Amino acid sequence: MLRVENLSLHFEDKGKIQEAVRGISFHMQESEILGIVGESGSGKTMTALTIAGLTKEHEVLDEGRILLDQTDLLALSPKEMRDIQGRNISMIFQEPMTALNPTMKIGKQVEEALVLHTRLSKEERRKKAIRALEDVELERPDLLYGKYPHELSGGMRQRVMIAAAIVCRPRLLIADEPTTALDVGTQESILRLLKKLNKKYNMGILFISHNLRVVNELCSRVLVMKDGVILEEGPTEQIFEDPRTQYTKDLIAAIPGRTKSSAFYKLLKAKAGE
Amino acid sequence: MKYRGTKLRQLGINKRKLGKTGYNFVFGLLLTIVMVGLIVLGFLWSPYDPEAMQGSVKLNAPNLVHIFGTDQFGRDIFSRVLVGAGSTLSIALGTVLIGGGIGIIAGAVTGYFGGWLDEMLMRVNDALAAFPSVLLALVIISIWGTGKYKVMLALGIAFIPSFARIVRGEFLRCREADYVISAKLIGVSTPRILFVHILPNILPALLSSLAIGFNNAVVQEAGMSYLGIGVQPPDASLGRMLSESQTYLASGPWCAIFPGVFLVLLVLGVGMLGEGILDRFGGGR
């Protein structure tokens, strides 16, 4: 469904050109959950933003193609791209507290994609929006519809954001660290929700995180990125059980665990012993 | 000293309580409603014809027949104040509409896009702002001539820079906001982002600056009419009435006092309303 070919991106920092992504290629199957892990500055977010159409291509693109089915997203005009955004590709990101517009009612925000991409009547839009709020497991969606974001908790806002992203049933949902700002309990429920939506609507998810534990839970396949290149790629079990690079081994070792045998625990003990 | 301390503390508590109930907002709104109500009344009905001269009642002090008194031509001042305030109000509204409308668009575009367009429009803005607005209005009127609508247009143009600057700053603050990014992500077009997604978020700052602009326009119109380049006789406006009554300050002070007080109350009401809006909805700024 999605194919990224030889993508190279750069950005300018105080006049200096920095390479962010250096010729990466990968693909995604229909309704697959693909994880990209890597530390800050590995180029994972830049890649995601470019697929979502948020970077200005002429400013960042060196070369490469991003194909959604047969169309090259990078060759589209801004207007053509806007037509795909929210309808075929949606994205959710890290900040549930600020990502909703404080002056717009929840219902209106969830409906926005429908206003842009469909010709549904007001009543049909309302039905679909309430349906989407139900899909993200929010209680009393009819009541929520008329509320403002400040009346909701962080976890609820993240769910509203997901509802707004999936209301048009996109084929690809890009999730950039969607659980990082949430507490562990809420994190779990959001992950479960993403999994459910993936099954229910055959929606592919490109899940970006620095948290391997989360990726392990959710994704069927993983890319490990560092310094703008893909170090390793494979099914999640393979990456976790038989990591091929030292970097991946270190990342796995850094996952905090509950058992005393975990590498993290040993690391803590070693440090305490010094 | 102890007494003083407790008294101050009591005052402090009182102030806080007033702040909570939105003292400015409530009082400003009430005063504005009363003043605008009177003006609307003036459009529909006034006790006397505001332009009718009665030789028999020249410069009468306020009495039961003419509650605000009469002027040097025997015209009823109450009627003239109502009608005059009407034209002052409509000029001020027109000014805010023109200046605010163009200012909002210019500010939104420059603040959101930045870059060379921003530089260019803001330099034009600086050039406009470099003239005192009355002077600018004077120049425009000397080119186009006087009259109610020309005063409106002249003041409107002179007011663009102040609105544009405020709106630009607010859009600059909001353009990187996460909710703007969310909107872009679902394919919202730029004009819709500007005016549907961002504009409501800057309303507190915008409304209060519009209120201040309105007040400035009222005062400027009065000033221009006072100088004789605003509303032309026999039409009444508050500034015009003030200027005409100058000669009779000693023999008929009511000719100046009532239009003056009316002007002050109108400006005070709208000013407090603007301040109140910022207090109440400005998000603790």
Side-chain angles (χ1 to χ4, degrees):
Chain A
M1 173 184 63
L2 181 78
R3 180 174 286 282
V4 174
E5 287 176 359
N6 197 25
L7 184 71
S8 292
L9 304 169
H10 69 270
F11 60 88
E12 265 189 60
D13 185 28
K14 290 166 197 152
K16 266 195 286 181
I17 288 180
Q18 303 267 344
E19 284 187 298
V21 175
R22 313 170 193 217
I24 61 166
S25 299
F26 63 91
H27 68 279
M28 261 182 90
Q29 308 285 340
E30 200 82 37
S31 76
E32 184 185 11
I33 306 185
L34 175 68
I36 302 185
V37 289
E39 59 196 29
S40 315
S42 60
K44 55 190 195 316
T45 296
M46 190 93 168
T47 307
L49 291 177
T50 308
I51 297 173
L54 210 63
T55 51
K56 290 179 183 138
E57 291 92 35
H58 59 275
E59 282 175 13
V60 300
L61 182 70
D62 289 326
E63 58 173 330
R65 298 201 295 172
I66 298 174
L67 296 171
L68 182 75
D69 298 325
Q70 300 306 321
T71 36
D72 184 1
L73 299 183
L74 296 177
L76 294 179
S77 72
K79 195 173 179 301
E80 290 168 320
M81 188 62 204
R82 278 205 300 274
D83 207 39
I84 287 183
Q85 289 171 325
R87 196 170 57 159
N88 294 323
I89 299 181
S90 268
M91 182 167 171
I92 53 173
F93 50 96
Q94 214 184 71
E95 301 297 337
M97 299 315 272
T98 52
L100 295 174
N101 190 332
T103 55
M104 250 174 150
K105 284 181 179 164
I106 300 297
K108 287 275 163 282
Q109 302 201 43
V110 175
E111 274 178 18
E112 188 71 0
L114 294 171
V115 174
L116 299 166
H117 300 300
T118 66
R119 290 173 182 278
L120 296 175
S121 72
K122 221 174 162 185
E123 199 41 50
E124 287 169 315
R125 283 206 302 264
R126 187 188 146 87
K127 260 187 208 150
K128 282 217 167 188
I130 287 184
R131 186 69 200 286
L133 289 170
E134 270 167 10
D135 275 339
V136 296
E137 292 164 2
L138 283 164
E139 279 168 30
R140 303 299 308 271
D142 47 328
L143 239 141
L144 216 55
Y145 184 90
K147 288 200 169 177
Y148 284 98
H150 71 264
E151 300 172 83
L152 273 60
S153 71
M156 285 166 90
R157 287 187 215 184
Q158 184 65 285
R159 281 164 195 270
V160 170
M161 215 159 94
I162 296 173
I166 62 153
V167 72
C168 280
R169 305 279 156 75
R171 295 167 58 206
L172 173 63
L173 178 70
I174 302 169
D176 185 6
E177 310 257 8
T179 58
T180 306
L182 304 169
D183 64 81
V184 180
T186 319
Q187 246 179 44
E188 290 297 321
S189 62
I190 295 280
L191 291 180
R192 238 180 293 129
L193 175 67
L194 287 176
K195 233 176 196 168
K196 190 195 86 176
L197 292 172
N198 164 258
K199 283 233 169 64
K200 194 168 173 187
Y201 297 126
N202 283 328
M203 184 175 67
I205 298 178
L206 182 62
F207 190 87
I208 293 161
S209 180
H210 59 248
N211 189 337
L212 269 178
R213 188 183 60 78
V214 171
V215 167
N216 184 22
E217 228 168 287
L218 187 72
C219 305
S220 52
R221 217 152 53 83
V222 181
L223 305 177
V224 180
M225 274 185 84
K226 187 177 193 296
D227 298 331
V229 291
I230 295 175
L231 283 185
E232 212 166 326
E233 176 181 357
T236 313
E237 290 114 63
Q238 186 199 315
I239 296 277
F240 273 78
E241 269 153 37
D242 182 22
R244 271 179 232 141
T245 58
Q246 187 55 43
Y247 181 70
T248 315
K249 282 178 194 162
D250 291 344
L251 276 183
I252 293 169
I255 302 174
R258 289 200 197 98
T259 55
K260 291 193 175 176
S261 61
S262 86
F264 180 68
Y265 190 79
K266 280 178 191 159
L267 198 77
L268 276 183
K269 267 199 134 179
K271 279 218 163 163
E274 272 171 17
Chain B
M1 286 317 273
K2 203 179 173 188
Y3 169 74
R4 215 181 131 91
T6 47
K7 195 180 178 190
L8 274 179
R9 210 173 306 139
Q10 271 177 340
L11 267 176
I13 287 165
N14 283 341
K15 262 187 187 169
R16 228 176 297 143
K17 273 184 185 167
L18 276 176
K20 264 183 193 162
T21 52
Y23 174 73
N24 270 337
F25 183 76
V26 172
F27 195 72
L29 189 65
L30 279 177
L31 195 55
T32 307
I33 288 173
V34 170
M35 299 314 282
V36 173
L38 278 173
I39 290 168
V40 171
L41 176 77
F43 276 117
L44 304 172
W45 172 85
S46 56
Y48 295 89
D49 180 352
E51 280 159 32
M53 304 182 187
Q54 279 179 275
S56 55
V57 289
K58 277 181 189 172
L59 278 177
N60 276 10
N63 54 53
L64 286 176
V65 187
H66 298 282
I67 53 171
F68 284 2
T70 56
D71 68 4
Q72 71 276 21
F73 298 118
R75 296 177 294 195
D76 179 51
I77 288 180
F78 181 62
S79 306
R80 282 183 72 73
V81 163
L82 289 188
V83 173
S87 67
T88 299
L89 180 79
S90 60
I91 287 174
L93 282 179
T95 301
V96 168
L97 222 61
I98 294 169
I102 300 175
I104 286 169
I105 293 169
V109 169
T110 54
Y112 186 75
F113 291 108
W116 62 269
L117 189 73
D118 179 32
E119 279 297 320
M120 213 176 72
L121 275 174
M122 278 299 125
R123 293 299 80 80
V124 175
N125 212 21
D126 285 343
L128 258 173
F131 292 98
S133 53
V134 174
L135 193 64
L136 191 67
L138 267 174
V139 171
I140 293 170
I141 279 174
S142 60
I143 295 170
W144 289 332
T146 57
K148 194 168 159 182
Y149 294 102
K150 282 159 190 161
V151 173
M152 222 182 258
L153 198 62
L155 282 176
I157 291 171
F159 276 37
I160 293 170
S162 64
F163 290 127
R165 195 165 296 275
I166 288 164
V167 173
R168 175 180 175 269
E170 292 289 307
F171 269 83
L172 205 58
R173 184 171 63 80
C174 290
R175 74 171 178 191
E176 303 283 344
D178 286 329
Y179 62 81
V180 174
I181 297 175
S182 309
K184 279 187 198 162
L185 278 170
I186 54 169
V188 182
S189 65
T190 308
R192 195 173 163 88
I193 287 182
L194 288 182
F195 298 111
V196 178
H197 289 256
I198 299 182
L199 193 62
N201 284 290
I202 71 164
L203 273 187
L206 183 62
L207 284 180
S208 65
S209 76
L210 286 178
I212 293 167
F214 173 87
N215 280 347
N216 285 338
V218 168
V219 175
Q220 301 262 12
E221 183 280 323
M224 284 170 67
S225 295
Y226 180 84
L227 292 174
I229 53 171
V231 174
Q232 297 302 307
D235 284 349
S237 92
L238 293 178
R240 179 98 231 139
M241 292 176 74
L242 282 173
S243 116
E244 282 172 357
S245 63
Q246 202 176 16
T247 333
Y248 307 98
L249 264 183
S251 50
W254 53 87
C255 296
I257 288 171
F258 288 109
V261 167
F262 203 92
L263 188 74
V264 168
L265 288 180
L266 182 64
V267 171
L268 185 71
V270 176
M272 285 177 86
L273 185 63
E275 192 77 8
I277 288 171
L278 202 57
D279 287 349
R280 204 161 169 163
F281 307 108
R285 253 180 306 153

